[in-house]
């Protein structure tokens, strides 16, 4: 199911910091299973990501944008499965 797919995480802070992470989906899944403590990004939008729900959507084979969050401070997190 995850073979050949990519997990893309795009983070933008209100201070114009940018983080783009592209991981093979199978590796991204193993990182997500360990929980959000593995993400050391100081970004209020990232705090809103429910990693259990994210894992469930990936396990169900959902493709495309699965997370799009904007915090009240203007931080954004987008997570896409291609």
């Amino acid at each position: 199911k995850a073979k050949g797919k990519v997990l893309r995480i795009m983070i933008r802070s209100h201070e114009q910091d940018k983080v783009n992470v592209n991981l093979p989906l199978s590796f991204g899944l193993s990182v997500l299973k360990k929980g959000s403590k593995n993400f050391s990004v100081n970004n209020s939008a990232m705090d809103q990501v429910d990693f259990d729900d994210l894992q469930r959507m990936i396990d169900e084979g959902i493709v495309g944008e699965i997370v799009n969050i904007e915090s009240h401070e203007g931080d954004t997190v987008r997570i896409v499965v291609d």
Side-chain angles (χ1 to χ4, degrees), residues 2-3 5 8 10-11 13 17-18 20 28 30-31 36 40 43 47-49 59 63-64 66 71 82:
K3 188 171 183 169
K5 292 185 181 172
R8 301 183 192 283
M10 294 148 283
I11 302 170
S13 78
D17 297 322
K18 296 179 181 181
N20 293 309
S30 68
V31 170
S36 62
S40 60
N43 182 290
D47 294 338
Q48 298 175 43
V49 175
D59 288 346
V63 175
I66 56 177
S71 75
D82 298 319

Side-chain angles (χ1 to χ4, degrees), residues 22-79:
N22 299 315
L23 300 170
L25 186 56
S26 57
F27 178 70
L29 288 174
S30 68
V31 170
L32 292 175
K33 287 177 183 175
K34 294 179 182 174
S36 62
K37 64 185 173 210
N38 293 303
F39 291 94
S40 60
V41 176
N42 185 13
N43 182 290
S44 61
M46 195 67 177
D47 294 338
Q48 298 175 43
V49 175
D50 183 324
F51 288 92
D52 290 332
D53 283 345
L54 185 61
Q55 178 71 54
R56 194 174 316 102
M57 287 186 279
I58 291 169
D59 288 346
E60 291 173 5
I62 294 176
V63 175
E65 186 173 81
I66 56 177
V67 173
N68 188 341
I69 298 172
E70 183 172 347
S71 75
H72 69 278
E73 295 173 343
D75 298 333
T76 62
V77 173
R78 290 182 60 228
I79 300 177

